[in-house]
Amino acid sequence: MAATLSLEPAGRSCWDEPLSITARGLAPEQPVTLRAALRDEKGALFRAHARYRADAHGRLDLARAPALGGSFAGLEPMGLLWALEPERPFWRLVKRDVRTPFVVELELLDGHEPDGGRLLARAVHERHFMAPGVRRVPVREGRVRATLFLPPEPGPFPGIVDLFGVGGGLLEYRASLLAGKGFAVMALAYYNYDDLPKGMDAMHVEYFEEAVNYLLSHPEVKGPGVGVLGISKGGELGLAMASFLKGIKAAVIINGSVAAVGNTIYYKDETIPPVTILRNQVRMTTTGRASSMPMRSPNAYRPMGRRSPRSSATRKRDIILSPLISHCARLACTSWWVLISPLEGSLSLMPWPSWMHGSNSRLSSTNTWVVRVRG
C-alpha cells in the first residue's frame, strides 16, 4: 500500500485556519520526515521540517504524534507552518496582495534525513487571505487612502480601523482575514503611500478622524462607534485616536507606545511633542539587538517620569488600559496576531490564531493592550 499525505480542509484554507495533517500507508513505527516549503511574492523560499514516527498501524496524525526534532519538537499540529524560516537571512514574510494565496508544498520522506530521504508522498495546499465572498473595496475618499473589507453577507457589521507601523504603505492581510470573521475592516494607510506624505514628522489626528467618519457613514457599518487595531506606530496612533475621537469605542494596541515617539501629534488646539531618545541608555546585547533597559541594581529606586501630555485627553474620556494576557481576552478582542517569523519589509504581524496557543510563537516579543473607552 502506497503512502498518502492528506490535509483537511483539502486543497485550500484561510491563513488563520487550522490544518489537519495526516499520513497513511506507512510501515508500523516507520521513521519519516515531513518537510514544508513556501515561496513569497518575491520568490524567496521559506522552509521547515520535522521528524516523526508512525504508530503501530502505520498512521501518522500530527494532532497526536509529537515531533522528534527538526525545526521544532513536541506536539505541534501546525508547527510546519509557524516554524517556516527564510533561506535568505533576515528576510521577512509579508503578504502584499491578499487576492492571491500562499502555496504550501508538503513532502513526506522516508527516514529522518530532511534532505536525503526517499519521497513517499506529496501534497500542495493554498493558504488564502480572503475567505470566499469577502469583498475588497478600495477607498479614495477626500484625503483617506485605504481598503475596506466587508464580509460576504449583508451588514451592518462592527467596524474596525486597522493600522500598521513604521514603514508606511498599505498592508491588507490582517483586515482581509478579520473580514472573514464578521467585521467591516478598513486597512488605513497614513504615510508613504499614494499621495500621502512620504514621512511622518507630524501626525494630524484629523486625518484619522476623517477615516473614522467615513467608516461610520458606510451603510454596512454598525454604529454608534468603531474599534481600532494598531501595532507599533499604528498602536501609538490608535491610542491617540481613542483619546481624542468620540467615534472610537474600543481599541487593541500591540507594541504601541503610550507617548508620541519620533514625531509630534496634533489634534485641533492640542499638541503632543515627541519624547526624546536617551542614547546613553541604549546598549547592544549579546544577540545583536539594541536594548534600552537601564543598567541598575535590582533594588535601585526607579524614579517616576512626568505624565505624558496625552494623559489629559485620556482622563477626559475615562480610558482604561489593561494588559491582554488571558485566553478569553484574546478571544473577545480577536487579537490573534503575533510576530511568528522574520518578516520582509516593515515591521508586521501575521495572524496568531488559536492553533498557535502553546506553541513557540514568540509571543513574548509583543506587548498587547486592550483599551476600553467609556467616553
Side-chain angles (χ1 to χ4, degrees), residues 38-286:
L38 175 155
R39 288 192 181 274
D40 69 6
E41 293 163 325
K42 296 185 177 181
L45 181 63
F46 292 74
R47 301 178 67 183
H49 75 277
R51 304 178 182 93
Y52 292 94
R53 190 174 297 278
D55 65 16
H57 302 284
R59 294 192 295 263
L60 175 65
D61 184 349
L62 269 58
R64 299 172 180 269
L68 305 177
S71 301
F72 56 92
L75 189 62
E76 297 287 353
M78 294 293 291
L80 289 169
L81 291 185
W82 65 251
L84 287 165
E85 294 284 349
E87 282 197 335
R88 178 176 174 177
F90 307 113
W91 196 250
R92 294 170 178 259
L93 181 65
V94 173
K95 195 73 183 79
R96 302 286 181 184
D97 185 357
V98 299
R99 294 167 294 185
T100 62
F102 277 143
V103 178
V104 181
E105 298 181 3
L106 292 170
E107 293 178 330
L108 179 66
L109 307 172
D110 184 28
H112 282 170
E113 294 297 326
D115 297 318
R118 177 172 58 94
L119 180 64
L120 301 175
R122 183 174 179 270
V124 177
H125 193 83
E126 293 183 350
R127 297 286 277 175
H128 288 257
F129 286 78
M130 292 179 63
V134 166
R135 294 166 284 166
R136 179 182 178 273
V137 183
V139 177
R140 190 183 177 96
E141 186 75 20
R143 295 179 298 169
V144 177
R145 303 293 177 261
T147 304
L148 178 62
F149 290 89
L150 297 168
E153 62 276 5
F157 313 99
I160 299 175
V161 179
D162 185 25
L163 299 169
F164 278 88
V166 172
L170 181 60
L171 294 174
E172 302 177 349
Y173 55 78
R174 198 164 58 186
S176 62
L177 286 167
L178 276 174
K181 304 293 189 292
F183 295 92
V185 191
M186 173 189 282
L188 179 64
Y190 55 92
Y191 90 101
N192 196 26
Y193 177 77
D194 199 27
D195 57 352
L196 295 174
K198 299 303 179 184
M200 54 176 187
D201 295 335
M203 288 291 160
H204 295 270
V205 180
E206 286 85 353
Y207 172 78
F208 302 94
E209 185 174 35
E210 189 175 338
V212 169
N213 290 339
Y214 170 85
L215 193 57
L216 282 171
S217 66
H218 196 282
E220 294 197 58
V221 174
K222 183 187 302 183
V226 298
V228 60
L229 169 63
I231 174 178
S232 189
K233 176 60 71 174
E236 173 190 316
L237 293 168
L239 189 55
M241 292 167 65
S243 298
F244 290 118
L245 304 182
K246 295 182 178 179
I248 300 298
K249 298 301 181 183
V252 175
I253 308 302
I254 308 170
N255 274 6
S257 172
V258 295
V261 177
N263 59 271
T264 303
I265 297 177
Y266 300 94
Y267 182 64
K268 296 182 179 179
D269 58 348
E270 296 266 5
T271 299
I272 303 176
V275 296
T276 57
I277 297 177
L278 302 176
R279 298 188 183 277
N280 62 334
Q281 294 289 329
V282 177
R283 59 187 177 86
M284 193 68 70
T285 67
T286 55

